[in-house]
Amino acid sequence: MANLNKILIANRGEIAVRIMRACGEMNIATVAVYSDADRAALHTRVAAEAIHIGASPPRESYLNIEKIIDAAKKSNADAIHPGYGFLAENAEFAQAVNDAGIVFIGPSPFSIRAMGDKAEARARMIKSGVPVVPGFQDADDQESLARAAEQIGYPILIKAAAGGGGKAMRVVETKSGFPDALAAARREALNAFGDARVILERYVANARHIEFQILADKFGNTIHLFERECSIQRRHQKIIEETPSPLLDDELRERMGNAAVAAARAVNYENAGTIEFIVDPDTREFYFLEMNTRLQVEHPITELTTGLDLAQWQIRIARGERIERYGERLIQPRGHAIECRVYAEDPSNHFLPSTGRVLDLQLPNMPGVRADAGIATGDEASAFYDPLLVKLIAYAETRDAALAKMQNALREFSLLGVTTNVEFLQTVLAHPTLRQGKATTRFIEQELDAWTQAPHDERRTMGLIAAALAESLDKAPEGEASSVNDPYSPWRAQRAFRVGGELPAAL
Amino acid sequence: MKFVYSSHAQNETLDLERAGDDFEIEIGGERARVQVIAFAPPRLIFSYNGKIFDARVARAGKKHWVYIQGATFVFERAESRAARDAAPGAREGAGSGIVVAPMPGQVRGVLVEQGDAVTEGQPLVLMEAMKMELKVNAPHAGVVAKIFVTLGQSVEREQILAEVIKRGG
């Protein structure tokens, strides 16, 4: 078995922190890399060492292969964990890491390339008996793409060829919108993945997005760890995921699970990966969408229902452990888990990104709730990177109980200083379509597009009172005479101060 | 003392006066007695008409953030009318040709030049934030009077990007 004593995490935010914690629990030292904007970011504080790799734009830092490998050499790291996004699904990166004599925690460059190249992936899936969506990826010039779009038929989906995770994806409803959407998707793809190529797919409306977690070791043992339903999306970005899927029965679950294992085997897959399917809820037919050759954002829900630590298993597989004794027969998923993604975005401003300094962060603390955070109080949500701030994950015996727990967790979650989607998530969780387990990937655009914060809430009045009280107690505005200007006033004390006696016992 | 806050284009006035250790408060025509039980920022615990509220508060510039009973609000201390009118980025109704950034981010493209004639909805500036692209379009047909930003520049939300003057107007 390979000895992995020190791992460099080529990522930032919550996933870098998550992986560093897994390393810590395995007595493995960690190295963070950071850009100018992340000089004091949480992941640099959690790691034992932190190395600066360049300017804030991703292309100059987190997407710079040479600088990351230099940092690994400089810090004597035995392995590199790529996280998700950035270089996680870049075969040249995996190859460069291997060539430098460093262990890449993930699949082989061959598997990444085979699944990253959509044409090749498609051919292999068909050969392995895995159904695929109609699409086009044979050429990348505008003329061929436009012609192919015409043949496949609108609405069409433009996706980054090198991408995944819903980034740089555009739906085009009509022919006239194609050139603009293509140009925008290319620029986004270049920035997110360092590769501007795109592919086309027929846009399957009212579909369900259901994926299967795969684990495969170096000895040919490939298992699946059941499904995650990720149909709740906005702008093709998942916001709520759950397992098990309310759509699947045991029969369909088994067929999809077998197809997922076959798909992974078709590219000699090793390490953790995810096979994404779209499912037509009416016909119950499923199609292979893509394989994400990395750890997923939503991996925690699988961890909660299977009891496995996937980040640790990635490392264990990379150092040569076998998974066979953790084979499917021994893994029986239990209960229901839900994840909500807290994004720095404003749902009442078309979900556009918001930025700013986190003035206060209170994470929920209750049985069955996990919070994976990439920021802490005092940290900055920068416009340079992904808007994901925190993942809240709830686990309970049943779906209803897990939903109730998640609602409770969101109520206790407080983030001041940056506008987030928390109240929107509450609205989604309370929506009858979600409660019935019938939400498709178009659910939000169809039913919640015009969402705004409830204006006449009683809580708003209490909020206003709190703001005025805090302002009065904190510091009177300049030029206004007030007793709080008295330097000896108890209102100026830095420590907690109570007026009116002790807290009532009920608190 | 009077406090005027705005949020979601709504102004809210409340009057807060010290009354011994407590506060007298008037909001929406209702008067009530408020007792501060604890103030240890960000925590603020108070009772309003005998009911206890547990809030979290924080301030950044004019923005007052409040978390209370599971909801988060951001209130902006409203300025006097004259100060607001003079402020950059002031938008005076639909006739204004001032184009502001709908989100914070970087300018990835300036698509028009000063003096260009533009049609309604024509893209003026291309912005990017958090890996997302957005076109900022002309609010009406006219002539580009001025471009206020350059390629690569970081801008705040509501920062002025360009001004488009209606022809003959």
Side-chain angles (χ1 to χ4, degrees), chain A residues 187 191 235 349 355 360 362 383 385 387 411 417 453 456 459-460 464 468 471-472 480 483 491 498-499, chain B residues 1 5 7-8 12 16 18 36-37 56 59 64-65 67 69-70 72 77 102 104 128 130 132-133:
Chain A
R187 276 189 300 268
N191 205 38
R235 283 202 325 249
N349 184 29
T355 55
D360 176 47
Q362 177 189 250
Y385 310 114
R411 263 195 296 278
Q453 189 175 34
H456 297 293
R459 291 180 299 183
R460 190 169 177 273
L464 284 160
E471 209 175 333
S472 312
E480 276 182 56
S483 66
W491 301 109
R498 282 176 190 155
V499 198
Chain B
M1 182 188 169
Y5 294 107
S7 76
H8 296 94
E12 208 76 59
L16 192 70
R18 273 270 163 73
V36 174
I37 295 161
R56 299 178 79 86
R59 172 157 123 184
H64 295 258
W65 293 80
Y67 160 85
Q69 293 190 313
T72 301
R77 206 39 206 278
E128 185 183 298
M130 293 173 173
M132 201 199 114
E133 267 198 8

Side-chain angles (χ1 to χ4, degrees), chain A residues 234-290:
Chain A
R234 61 107 189 85
R235 283 202 325 249
H236 316 294
Q237 190 75 44
K238 300 161 188 170
I239 58 169
I240 298 175
E241 303 95 347
E242 64 180 310
T243 185
S245 160
L247 182 75
L248 300 194
D249 54 22
D250 285 345
E251 187 268 333
L252 186 52
R253 178 173 293 117
E254 193 180 335
R255 279 200 291 133
M256 290 177 72
N258 289 341
V261 169
R265 285 205 168 117
V267 294
N268 299 323
Y269 199 78
E270 180 196 312
N271 214 289
T274 293
I275 310 288
E276 295 192 336
F277 295 104
I278 55 171
V279 185
D280 185 324
D282 299 324
T283 64
R284 298 178 78 80
E285 282 178 306
F286 64 91
Y287 306 98
F288 170 86
L289 200 57
E290 62 184 23

Side-chain angles (χ1 to χ4, degrees), chain A residues 45-207:
Chain A
R45 311 198 297 265
V46 173
E49 287 172 63
I51 298 175
H52 179 249
I53 51 164
S56 304
R59 272 188 302 269
E60 294 170 47
S61 45
Y62 298 105
L63 288 171
N64 190 316
I65 293 175
E66 206 179 312
K67 283 182 178 168
I68 289 168
I69 289 175
D70 280 351
K73 285 180 179 163
K74 203 167 108 189
S75 58
N76 288 317
D78 304 307
I80 293 180
H81 194 307
Y84 54 68
F86 294 126
L87 294 168
E89 294 178 277
N90 185 313
E92 284 101 86
F93 178 59
Q95 188 63 57
V97 172
N98 290 343
D99 291 348
I102 300 166
V103 172
F104 179 78
I105 300 174
S108 67
F110 164 77
S111 299
I112 298 175
R113 207 169 278 127
M115 280 301 187
D117 182 321
K118 307 294 172 180
E120 196 183 332
R122 179 179 223 81
R124 282 174 191 273
M125 290 309 109
I126 293 164
K127 214 170 123 193
S128 313
V130 181
V132 296
V133 194
F136 177 79
Q137 60 290 305
D138 298 334
D140 193 54
D141 60 289
Q142 179 152 353
E143 202 182 312
S144 305
L145 287 167
R147 206 178 320 119
E150 200 75 4
Q151 275 165 15
I152 299 162
Y154 288 92
I156 204 132
L157 197 57
I158 307 178
K159 289 167 96 173
K167 292 278 180 232
M169 265 174 43
R170 297 264 162 161
V171 178
V172 193
E173 300 287 346
T174 59
K175 192 179 171 179
S176 62
F178 188 79
D180 274 7
L182 179 63
R186 281 197 196 284
R187 276 189 300 268
E188 284 178 19
L190 185 65
N191 205 38
F193 308 107
D195 184 340
R197 289 176 306 125
V198 297
I199 64 146
L200 305 179
E201 253 173 27
R202 193 176 78 197
Y203 183 62
V204 183
N206 297 317

Side-chain angles (χ1 to χ4, degrees), chain A residues 371-389:
Chain A
D372 285 17
I375 42 121
T377 301
D379 292 346
E380 196 85 31
S382 153
F384 287 108
Y385 310 114
D386 194 277
L388 181 61
L389 299 177

Side-chain angles (χ1 to χ4, degrees), chain B residues 149-162:
Chain B
V149 291
T150 54
L151 189 68
Q153 187 179 336
S154 287
V155 296
E156 297 297 318
R157 186 174 168 185
E158 302 284 303
Q159 187 171 331
I160 301 179
L161 303 176

